[in-house]
Amino acid sequence: MNRFELIEHTADIGLVAYGSTKEELFENAGEGLFSIITDLNKVSPVEESDISITGEDLDDLYIRWLNELIYFWEVNRILGRKFKVIIKDDTSLKAIIYGERFDHNKHTIEHGVKAVTYYDFKIEYDHNRKIWIAKVIIDV
């Protein structure tokens, strides 16, 4: 199973994430988001940061998760490489972000990301394949 894939979308970028659990779906979406920002092969998971997020429901939690990761990057200048997500219920999560501080000698910025939109957003469980799938459009 692919963890995520990027799809073309006019001036923006689509991100489709997959996971056998909700937690894995959110973790893979985090990795996918940061793959838009930089080449993840050059990012080492040497620093840990904790975050907590709440939302109205699973859909809102997913969008807030990705937007919080954008905010985390913009404020802390830390590139996320791996993620450990624990979803308490469909309205709250705690996560550990593993990554490293941006170093212009080591990392390149591929795209500036502005926000995750609700446009064309979908999150669902595929009962035939037994996986969670989420699609969002990233405003770059």
Side-chain angles (χ1 to χ4, degrees):
M1 172 183 71
N2 289 334
R3 293 188 310 268
F4 65 88
E5 62 182 308
L6 303 179
I7 54 177
E8 291 185 27
H9 185 273
T10 56
D12 298 322
I13 298 175
L15 169 63
V16 181
Y18 306 94
S20 57
T21 64
K22 291 176 194 175
E23 289 83 359
E24 186 176 67
L25 175 72
F26 278 62
E27 292 164 359
N28 291 341
E31 185 178 342
L33 177 70
F34 276 97
S35 79
I36 294 169
I37 297 170
T38 193
D39 177 357
L40 290 181
N41 292 320
K42 296 179 180 176
V43 179
S44 300
V46 295
E47 293 186 35
E48 292 183 21
S49 301
D50 297 323
I51 61 172
S52 297
I53 302 167
T54 59
E56 297 295 317
D57 55 24
L58 186 63
D59 291 1
D60 189 51
L61 187 64
Y62 189 82
I63 297 290
R64 288 181 188 221
W65 160 246
L66 293 175
N67 279 323
E68 183 68 22
L69 291 179
I70 293 169
Y71 176 80
F72 174 83
W73 153 243
E74 290 294 331
V75 169
N76 300 298
R77 304 312 279 176
I78 295 175
L79 295 164
R81 178 64 180 102
K82 290 174 52 178
F83 306 86
K84 178 64 179 160
V85 173
I86 298 170
I87 298 176
K88 294 182 182 182
D89 53 40
D90 286 352
T91 62
S92 64
L93 67 78
K94 289 185 181 275
I96 303 172
I97 302 168
Y98 301 92
E100 72 177 315
R101 195 161 303 280
F102 175 75
D103 177 349
H104 71 276
N105 292 317
K106 180 178 180 183
H107 307 112
T108 58
I109 301 303
E110 303 297 325
H111 296 282
V113 293
K114 298 175 189 171
V116 178
T117 69
Y118 280 94
Y119 174 77
D120 208 18
F121 170 67
K122 179 172 47 171
I123 187 169
E124 64 187 357
Y125 184 75
D126 183 327
H127 293 280
N128 294 328
R129 295 176 14 193
K130 296 184 179 2
I131 60 170
W132 284 91
I133 304 169
K135 177 185 175 192
V136 294
I137 304 300
I138 311 290
D139 185 10
V140 293

